Amino acid sequence: MIKFPFIGGTYPNEPELTFCTQRTVNLYPEHDPNYEEPLVLEGFPGYSLWTPLNDGPVRGSQKFKDHAIVVSKNVVYRVSKDGAARQVGSINTEAGRVSMDENGSQLMLVDGRDGWVWNGTTWQQITDSTFTDTKADTVTHMDSYFIVNKPGTGSIWVSDSFDGLNWNSLRTATAEFKSDDVVAVWADRELMLGGESTTQIYYNSGASPMPFEAARQGRIIYGLAARDSVAILDNTSHFLAQDKNGGVFLARSNGYSVERVSNRAWERTWSKYSNIKDAFAFAMQWGGHEWYVLTFDTADHGFGRTFVYDASTQLWFEVGIYRPSIGEFVKWKITSHVYLDGKHIVGDSDGNLNIVESDNYSFAGTTIIALRRSNVIHQNRDRIFFNALEINMKTGLETSTVSDPRLMLDISDDGGHTWKERRYKSLAGHGANKYDVRARFRRLGSSYDRVFQVSISDPVPRKFVSGFVE
């Protein structure tokens, strides 16, 4: 048998352009040059319900001291390490993402209407008129100060030192954006002011009353395509970027410039979404991987899509729930992430907090379907006859409670546009030993442009190692 390039990440395929058909859903690429294969696909972790809050959605979460502050709908909860949730206050909006940051003694929250401060015991609305006039929708912390934007303007405002309740009307600045507004502020070694098509970098000069000044060389010609797409991973900022010429791509900050992380195919796909601005992202570390988890909230049929960029392998994959009514995967229901007491706690659109677990094969009871689609197999446009396909896996069947797990195979002979009747193969009794499984399908016919797609929904460990054809 001949090995073919079966393992890989997701590469967008547009129906009218069959450039590449590769797709990886609810699996993530794992790179280990010392293993029998340098790249394998591991099953994406599931999660179980930890703490129900209300009918949601969870709009944001932030670790603070020994607990987490979580906003679900309009209620603010203090969540302890054991999962006990206690309401500490409320805010005056029920929808839209909130922005939070903390300085060690206070946590501050803004929602585009009001601002609030939590000191560990008291939830208090900010009434200082200098602040209330901003209607800030993003907040960050740097060098003992909270900094917020004023939507619709190029202005930022800075709190008193270590005090988010008090603000000085002279402690303000206007970014040199010309007609660009400050869409979001965040801290990444220096203070970042993201506009719609440019980004200005400020630093703490120690001046008074306004300690932050523009870095003369710190102007990036790309801004934010989505306010909530900023996440820090791999020691730098990642965000959906755009400039005045249009187009959207995933950018990675590199000093006073950015690097392009996405490829042109991703950018073509995203450009077709009717709404880019509702995209949001968060960072998550898992098993040595640093993931940028990006959700377009209403993309594709209005159900949204979730894509993940792995900074360690520099590959993309997808996470989502299969929706039979449209025959497609839709967005992951997770809206926030916080790491608390060694646990990955994720909030969802239903108002629940969940724990991510490596040996969980469902999203709080919803079956995880893992899917891998190969690239097109062709040979100079000649017809190829396929006697057999072998998929090598590690399934851990020796500890599984499933008596007869099955692998599903779909075949396309037109480059992934249409699919033949699905085939099934039992994984039990098809291994070289109790750890390895070789799922072999026979009598596969012939094709000019063959695509193989395998998937599994049974709750067994999923690790795809390699693929062979005969």
Side-chain angles (χ1 to χ4, degrees):
M1 302 191 79
I2 302 172
K3 182 187 295 186
F4 73 102
F6 176 69
I7 303 298
T10 282
Y11 190 95
N13 177 43
E14 302 170 44
E16 67 275 16
L17 297 172
T18 309
F19 289 147
C20 182
T21 58
Q22 290 194 72
R23 191 176 191 190
T24 299
V25 186
N26 295 326
L27 298 162
Y28 66 91
E30 178 69 77
H31 183 263
D32 186 351
N34 298 314
Y35 189 60
E36 60 185 82
E37 296 293 339
L39 193 69
V40 299
L41 293 176
E42 291 272 9
F44 190 78
Y47 58 78
S48 59
L49 177 64
W50 191 49
T51 300
L53 299 176
N54 54 22
D55 58 354
V58 173
R59 302 166 60 191
S61 57
Q62 172 77 44
K63 184 179 182 299
F64 180 65
K65 297 183 178 179
D66 63 347
H67 58 276
I69 292 297
V70 180
V71 179
S72 187
K73 202 170 184 178
N74 67 328
V75 182
V76 183
Y77 297 90
R78 180 193 188 277
V79 183
S80 59
K81 296 177 181 179
D82 62 1
R86 174 173 63 89
Q87 181 177 344
V88 298
S90 61
I91 60 178
N92 299 321
T93 59
E94 296 186 350
R97 298 187 64 80
V98 299
S99 176
M100 289 185 275
D101 208 345
E102 54 94 12
N103 62 15
S105 60
Q106 292 180 336
L107 176 146
M108 182 174 167
L109 176 150
V110 298
D111 63 358
R113 174 174 171 176
D114 302 302
W116 310 78
V117 168
W118 167 253
N119 62 11
T121 57
T122 305
W123 181 255
Q124 190 171 350
Q125 186 171 355
I126 305 170
T127 58
D128 189 305
S129 60
T130 297
F131 169 81
T132 57
D133 180 60
T134 67
K135 306 296 183 185
D137 56 12
T138 63
V139 60
T140 191
H141 166 261
M142 185 173 176
D143 299 339
S144 81
Y145 301 98
F146 287 114
I147 305 102
V148 300
N149 67 321
K150 183 175 182 179
T153 75
S155 300
I156 61 169
W157 298 80
V158 180
S159 73
D160 288 355
S161 180
F162 290 106
D163 187 1
L165 293 171
N166 292 291
W167 300 71
N168 186 328
S169 61
L170 299 178
R171 200 173 290 124
T172 185
T174 300
E176 300 170 355
F177 286 150
K178 296 182 180 178
S179 60
D180 217 357
D181 298 333
V182 177
V183 175
V185 293
W186 73 95
D188 180 3
R189 293 178 290 272
E190 295 177 291
L191 180 61
M192 313 291 286
L193 281 60
E196 292 182 349
S197 58
T198 54
T199 298
Q200 181 75 55
I201 300 175
Y202 274 56
Y203 74 102
N204 189 345
S205 68
S208 181
M210 177 56 177
F212 295 98
E213 296 184 22
R216 296 269 66 85
Q217 71 276 33
R219 188 162 183 242
I220 300 171
I221 61 172
Y222 297 101
L224 292 176
R227 182 194 67 191
D228 300 310
S229 66
V230 179
I232 307 293
L233 67 149
D234 198 26
N235 201 37
T236 194
S237 301
H238 291 66
F239 55 93
L240 282 181
Q242 65 182 6
D243 66 10
K244 63 181 180 179
N245 297 318
V248 176
F249 65 96
L250 179 60
R252 167 190 168 94
S253 293
N254 183 5
Y256 292 149
S257 63
V258 299
E259 300 171 347
R260 204 179 206 100
V261 173
S262 55
N263 56 42
R264 309 300 178 184
W266 281 115
E267 294 153 23
R268 282 195 303 271
T269 297
W270 297 339
S271 68
K272 295 181 179 180
Y273 294 161
S274 60
N275 187 7
I276 295 290
K277 293 183 180 297
D278 67 358
F280 62 88
F282 57 82
M284 178 177 172
Q285 291 194 31
W286 183 265
H289 296 261
E290 292 194 68
W291 292 334
Y292 175 83
V293 183
L294 172 66
T295 295
F296 292 89
D297 205 30
T298 57
D300 276 9
H301 307 89
F303 296 115
R305 295 282 298 279
T306 299
F307 307 102
V308 183
Y309 172 71
D310 188 336
S312 62
T313 62
Q314 298 183 351
L315 293 173
W316 289 83
F317 60 95
E318 300 172 63
V319 179
I321 297 172
Y322 187 75
R323 195 176 185 94
S325 62
I326 61 173
E328 184 55 273
F329 287 89
V330 300
K331 68 183 176 185
W332 204 26
K333 293 175 66 174
I334 297 307
T335 57
S336 75
H337 167 264
V338 64
Y339 188 67
L340 179 66
D341 192 34
K343 305 181 187 72
H344 289 276
I345 310 301
V346 290
D348 64 32
S349 55
D350 296 326
N352 299 313
L353 296 181
N354 309 276
I355 295 182
V356 181
E357 301 162 320
S358 58
D359 296 326
N360 193 327
Y361 307 106
S362 75
F363 295 140
T366 299
T367 299
I368 299 176
I369 299 176
L371 178 146
R372 172 58 188 167
R373 181 185 299 166
S374 72
N375 208 343
V376 177
I377 302 175
H378 65 92
Q379 184 176 0
N380 299 322
R381 300 297 296 168
D382 294 331
R383 181 179 291 276
I384 304 175
F385 292 85
F386 296 88
N387 296 319
L389 166 72
E390 182 179 290
I391 303 297
N392 291 344
M393 301 176 62
K394 306 282 188 179
T395 63
L397 293 180
E398 74 285 355
T399 61
S400 174
T401 59
V402 181
S403 60
D404 186 24
R406 297 189 299 172
L407 186 68
M408 297 173 279
L409 172 66
D410 297 294
I411 297 175
S412 173
D413 286 334
D414 54 13
H417 292 281
T418 60
W419 300 89
K420 296 182 176 181
E421 183 177 354
R422 175 167 290 177
R423 299 190 184 193
Y424 298 85
K425 175 65 67 174
S426 171
L427 298 178
H430 291 277
N433 54 54
K434 64 181 181 180
Y435 304 102
D436 298 327
V437 171
R438 298 176 181 176
R440 180 171 289 196
F441 298 86
R442 299 182 182 277
R443 298 178 181 178
L444 302 178
S446 63
S447 174
Y448 294 99
D449 293 300
R450 172 63 58 87
V451 176
F452 291 117
Q453 175 178 283
V454 296
S455 55
I456 185 170
S457 59
D458 289 310
V460 296
R462 298 98 180 261
K463 178 185 285 187
F464 291 93
V465 178
S466 56
F468 292 82
V469 291
E470 180 181 292

